[in-house]
Amino acid sequence: MKKYLVIGNPIDHSLSPKLHNFWIKQNNINAIYDKKKLNDDEIKNLIFEIRENKISGINVTVPFKNKVIPFLDELSLGAKKTQSVNTIFMKDNKVIGDNTDIGGFESAIKKLDFDLSNKTAFVLGAGGVVPSIIYALVKMGASKILISNRTESKAENIKKLFNNLQIVSWGEIPEFDIIINGTSVGLDDNEQIDLDFSNVGKNKLFYDVIYNPNQTNFLKTAKKLGNKFENGKLMFIFQALLSFKIWHNLEPTVNEETIKLLDI
Ligand code: ATR
């Protein structure tokens, strides 16, 4: 039986095992997908298990997306550009790091029929998933990408990866067509981002990477102000789908049942 894992710290909340095991069963694959809470000093040995074929694939989440890189043989273009890896596998005797968060975000935005060309995107946060979102925005042709983070130095670190990124001071709200919450504010129902969106106007797209809770205060504000809004559920599903495709070489189904799996 093949073994797959998602690693992170914390990891309890991860819904990846639920989704992957559902697809594994649906496709009659002889495999199991587990989760493992990891410490920094355990990364090396775990990657070695991939090399030895004891583990067939690993998903990586916060805070290891960048930390796994020194232990890998090769990176996909997206993983290289973002310095983030969320999917690991063996190919031709090499341990490869890929990044399916990029494609996950792209697919989720395209599903909304939102055309990014000549649009301004405003990204909040500078954590694990933000470089992937920015790279996806670049790929989709956004003409201007702005980033703001409470701790500005972290936004500056991301700017080192992307030439044309512009930093906005935390608290300022520039003109934008799409705003993405890439912070962790909202994971707790009562949390609210301390930014004032009351003057942003209408018909913007508010996108929250968070999908649990279903509607964060960020999205509730968007709704109240007459804007479009979407949570990160489909991004999560599509990144999982792309990892599944890499590992099992087949495309799993995404339908109402899959989406419902993530309602907790
Ligand atoms: P990590 O930083 O370990 O990668 P993450 O969950 O991916 O973790 O990122 C957390 C993000 O949410 C960061 O951008 C963080 O901002 P700081 O860099 O200033 O810490 C942001 N964040 C968390 N709590 C916040 C708050 N109360 N207000 C604004 N931003 C917050």
Side-chain angles (χ1 to χ4, degrees), residues 8-260:
N9 194 349
I11 198 63
D12 268 349
H13 65 282
S14 175
L15 290 175
S16 292
K18 199 173 180 186
L19 185 53
H20 277 275
N21 284 322
F22 175 81
W23 281 332
I24 283 170
K25 202 168 162 203
Q26 197 173 51
N27 289 284
N28 291 312
I29 297 168
N30 187 21
I32 180 104
Y33 186 114
D34 231 329
K35 61 185 164 193
K36 189 175 168 69
K37 185 173 155 187
L38 216 67
N39 295 314
D40 285 22
D41 58 1
E42 296 171 303
I43 303 173
K44 193 176 175 180
N45 282 342
L46 195 71
I47 305 289
F48 197 66
E49 290 192 44
I50 286 256
R51 220 177 271 286
E52 289 194 313
N53 264 320
K54 288 184 183 154
I55 302 172
S56 301
I58 299 178
N59 272 146
V60 184
T61 187
V62 173
F64 299 120
K65 290 185 189 217
N66 174 264
K67 288 180 179 168
V68 296
I69 292 178
F71 306 103
L72 308 173
D73 298 326
E74 237 169 58
L75 298 181
S76 67
L77 177 66
K80 212 178 283 174
K81 293 268 187 201
T82 56
Q83 286 297 298
S84 309
V85 164
N86 83 327
T87 306
I88 301 177
F89 57 99
M90 273 278 270
K91 195 182 164 194
D92 302 333
N93 273 325
K94 282 185 181 147
V95 185
I96 317 274
D98 206 334
N99 180 339
T100 68
D101 289 328
I102 302 164
F105 181 72
E106 256 187 286
S107 303
I109 294 295
K110 284 183 180 154
K111 196 109 187 146
L112 296 172
D113 270 332
F114 187 83
D115 180 8
L116 262 155
S117 49
N118 294 318
K119 298 273 167 55
T120 298
F122 183 31
V123 182
L124 303 176
V129 80
V130 165
S132 308
I133 287 173
I134 292 171
Y135 186 53
L137 290 167
V138 172
K139 279 180 76 187
M140 287 187 284
S143 56
K144 200 167 166 188
I145 305 174
L146 310 162
I147 182 173
S148 190
N149 192 52
R150 182 180 59 176
T151 312
E152 198 162 310
S153 58
K154 286 198 207 163
E156 274 155 15
N157 284 337
I158 294 183
K159 189 174 157 60
K160 287 180 193 149
L161 301 172
F162 302 100
N163 294 336
N164 296 323
L165 195 60
Q166 292 177 37
I167 298 178
V168 171
S169 302
W170 186 255
E172 275 175 34
I173 308 288
E175 286 265 327
F176 63 82
D177 300 294
I178 171 174
I179 183 167
I180 299 124
N181 177 32
T183 76
S184 50
V185 185
L187 280 171
D188 198 324
D189 249 332
N190 316 315
E191 285 176 321
Q192 183 118 32
I193 302 177
D194 62 343
L195 295 175
D196 179 8
F197 297 115
S198 53
N199 294 319
V200 299
K202 289 191 195 310
N203 292 318
K204 317 283 180 187
L205 174 59
F206 280 59
Y207 190 92
D208 203 323
V209 171
I210 297 171
Y211 57 86
N212 179 29
N214 231 322
Q215 214 176 84
T216 55
N217 282 320
F218 175 73
L219 296 186
K220 282 180 186 152
T221 304
K223 188 178 181 181
K224 208 160 60 193
L225 296 171
N227 289 288
K228 287 171 279 185
F229 58 94
E230 187 70 29
N231 72 20
K233 200 178 269 186
L234 280 180
M235 176 181 175
F236 176 74
I237 291 175
F238 284 125
Q239 66 74 29
L241 175 146
L242 293 169
S243 296
F244 194 93
K245 256 173 98 171
I246 289 172
W247 293 331
H248 307 291
N249 205 19
L250 55 90
E251 182 153 341
T253 319
V254 175
N255 56 24
E256 284 304 314
E257 195 185 0
T258 336
I259 294 169
K260 255 205 151 122

